[in-house]
């Protein structure tokens, strides 16, 4: 009986994009910090659309406000393209500016502004509170 050829070797799966693991509780180095931030998925939009909400306020932005919203960069793993809120003392002259979230590993990332002159206090470093997830939440 002729022998069937074996299945071809499959290439290993690509490494997981660590930017898919941002959900959770973080400490951020925003001015007046460190400040707690919770990151979740925007339930109103499909896909990986993050919303980062400030738990602790500072002199510029009160607690409970969205700090940034972002989506995965489809062309660069480990990057989230975001809009960051900037405001003056007492939440005056609030405005949205363009930012990049650069994820180094599941427990650390930094946020930098596209134009560093848009807002003071950047880049901001984030450190996860608690253990990092090993798989992304559902989109």
């Amino acid at each position: 009986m002729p022998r069937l050829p074996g299945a071809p070797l499959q290439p290993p799966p690509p490494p997981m994009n660590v930017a898919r693991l941002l959900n959770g509780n973080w400490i951020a180095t925003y001015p007046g910090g460190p400040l707690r931030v919770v990151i979740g998925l925007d339930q109103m939009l499909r896909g990986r659309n993050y919303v980062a909400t400030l738990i602790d306020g500072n002199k510029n932005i009160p607690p409970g406000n969205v700090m940034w919203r972002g989506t995965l960069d489809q062309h660069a793993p480990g990057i989230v393209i975001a809009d960051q809120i900037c405001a003056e003392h007492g939440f005056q002259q609030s405005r949205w500016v363009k930012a990049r979230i650069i994820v180094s590993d599941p427990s650390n990332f930094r946020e930098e502004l596209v134009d560093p002159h848009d807002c003071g206090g950047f880049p901001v470093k984030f450190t996860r509170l608690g253990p990092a997830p090993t798989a992304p939440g559902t989109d």
Side-chain angles (χ1 to χ4, degrees), residues 3-117:
R3 191 170 177 193
L4 294 175
L9 291 177
Q10 298 295 318
M16 182 174 37
N17 183 352
V18 291
R20 293 180 55 85
L21 302 175
L22 291 183
N23 294 22
N25 297 307
W26 298 84
I27 291 287
T29 62
Y30 286 115
L35 303 175
R36 292 176 298 162
V37 176
V38 63
I39 300 175
L41 294 176
D42 188 336
Q43 299 302 316
M44 300 302 289
L45 299 172
R46 292 177 48 102
R48 189 68 34 183
N49 296 285
Y50 291 111
V51 177
T53 304
L54 187 63
I55 302 300
D56 303 312
N58 63 18
K59 66 180 182 171
N60 297 337
I61 301 175
N65 278 285
V66 171
M67 293 301 286
W68 58 265
R69 295 177 190 272
T71 59
L72 290 176
D73 185 322
Q74 299 302 315
H75 306 290
I79 304 290
V80 173
I81 305 301
D83 290 313
Q84 165 70 43
I85 190 82
C86 287
E88 305 306 322
H89 186 73
F91 207 51
Q92 298 297 310
Q93 300 174 344
S94 64
R95 63 210 178 273
W96 291 96
V97 299
K98 298 294 181 190
R100 278 184 292 268
I101 308 301
I102 302 160
V103 184
S104 55
D105 63 63
S107 295
N108 299 280
F109 69 89
R110 78 179 185 279
E111 178 185 7
E112 50 187 49
L113 300 181
V114 171
D115 181 348
H117 303 293

